[in-house]
Amino acid sequence: MSAPKITLYTNHRCPWAHRAHIALKESGLDYEEVIIDLTKPREPWYLEVNPRGLVPSLRYGEDIITESAIVAQFLADAHPSHLLPASNSKDGALQRARIAFFVDTFFSKVQPHSMASQRASTDAERKAASEALVQAIQDDLETLLPDELQGPFFGGSDRLTLAEVLTGSFLLRILSWHTPDTGLFSADLPERLQTVPRFLRWAKATVEQESVNYIWDSKASADAMKAKLAKLAQQK
Ligand SMILES: N[C@@H](CCC(=O)N[C@@H](CS)C(=O)NCC(=O)O)C(=O)O
């Protein structure tokens, strides 16, 4: 299906907005981007685009779509591709349910530990959060992922699926932010991740995709996250 003019209101440091970039690139859609400065109050014109003031927002022709998961799902539905089978195709509804369950598991069981590590104020707290993160991957995610005989992406696919569109920006953080210049995960996280080989293979394959890493700047994103956490701490 041909697409109308698409504008993405975004900020490259935001993992939620990053989902929309991945979905657009994987769907082969051209788009313009408007960067929203999240360090300043939103301007009135942007609150007309998205009254919640959040990024991402997608302008698709005359229509505005907000909330990153809804934007990604909308693009996958409007432009059918390898990301998601049609719900009325053979096993399509089941595959969609499997992807939805996987993404739900990632965000309900694993991501809270990632956030705890990023918020940690001592090395000991950060180490404990990284340990809990790997334990949650082991307990809840590892068996949902393909083994080395299958394709690396969800369901054994050789190409990205909606599961990676929705988790890829969060995987970049888990795999990158243990370095001394970022420091939001403990330095021993890469070693601990060796104990969850399916996750590691899947996550590495995902972040190597150009559609996932083309807007990524690890240090700049970590600095933005630190600034945001410092601001939130001041507000307490
Ligand atoms: N549930 C939203 C979350 C989006 C979100 O929290 N975006 C953040 C940036 S990462 C934002 O726009 N924050 C507004 C602000 O920082 O003022 C989604 O998935 O789209």
Side-chain angles (χ1 to χ4, degrees):
M1 180 185 136
S2 71
K5 183 172 181 215
I6 298 176
T7 305
L8 179 64
Y9 303 91
T10 183
N11 184 294
H12 289 189
R13 310 283 93 89
C14 170
W16 308 103
H18 195 152
R19 287 170 149 183
H21 288 273
I22 304 172
L24 285 161
K25 189 80 153 181
E26 279 295 316
S27 304
L29 295 167
D30 291 332
Y31 66 99
E32 279 182 5
E33 66 175 15
V34 176
I35 303 288
I36 304 299
D37 183 350
L38 297 175
T39 64
K40 296 188 188 140
R42 288 319 85 76
E43 291 178 29
W45 71 264
Y46 188 62
L47 294 174
E48 277 179 31
V49 173
N50 182 353
R52 295 183 183 178
L54 302 173
V55 291
S57 301
L58 187 83
R59 187 185 294 278
Y60 185 87
E62 299 300 308
D63 296 300
I64 300 284
I65 298 136
T66 60
E67 284 298 316
S68 59
I70 297 170
V71 167
Q73 178 81 48
F74 166 77
L75 290 169
D77 282 336
H79 299 274
S81 72
H82 55 282
L83 292 179
L84 202 58
S87 56
N88 61 356
S89 66
K90 184 175 178 299
D91 295 336
L94 188 61
Q95 177 69 355
R96 283 173 169 240
R98 297 277 187 253
I99 289 175
F101 179 76
F102 177 80
V103 172
D104 179 87
T105 303
F106 184 93
F107 285 97
S108 61
K109 306 287 189 186
V110 175
Q111 182 60 14
H113 301 294
S114 174
M115 284 314 301
S117 176
Q118 294 171 49
R119 284 199 204 97
S121 47
T122 64
D123 284 350
E125 251 178 67
R126 186 157 286 124
K127 204 166 179 167
S130 291
E131 210 175 315
L133 173 77
V134 175
Q135 191 62 53
I137 292 170
Q138 178 75 71
D139 292 346
D140 293 293
L141 223 51
E142 187 71 352
T143 57
L144 302 179
L145 286 164
D147 63 32
E148 72 283 358
L149 300 176
Q150 301 170 289
F153 303 114
F154 188 75
S157 172
D158 288 322
R159 298 182 76 183
L160 288 201
T161 72
L162 189 66
E164 288 80 26
V165 170
L166 296 177
T167 53
S169 52
F170 298 88
L171 296 176
L172 278 164
R173 286 155 172 81
I174 292 172
L175 293 190
S176 313
W177 282 357
H178 60 279
T179 54
D181 62 334
T182 53
L184 288 166
F185 290 98
S186 74
D188 66 356
L189 182 58
E191 196 186 317
R192 286 187 188 280
L193 287 173
Q194 299 292 335
T195 62
V196 281
R198 289 187 186 203
F199 173 84
L200 197 54
R201 174 175 178 258
W202 168 71
K204 280 187 174 169
T206 299
V207 303
E208 276 167 15
Q209 297 295 301
E210 201 214 336
S211 61
V212 176
N213 63 39
Y214 72 109
I215 63 159
W216 173 241
D217 180 330
S218 179
K219 170 89 168 63
S221 300
D223 288 347
M225 177 51 101
K226 287 178 196 170
K228 185 173 172 177
L229 292 170
K231 197 171 160 191
L232 287 174
Q234 265 181 1
Q235 285 165 2
K236 275 188 189 161

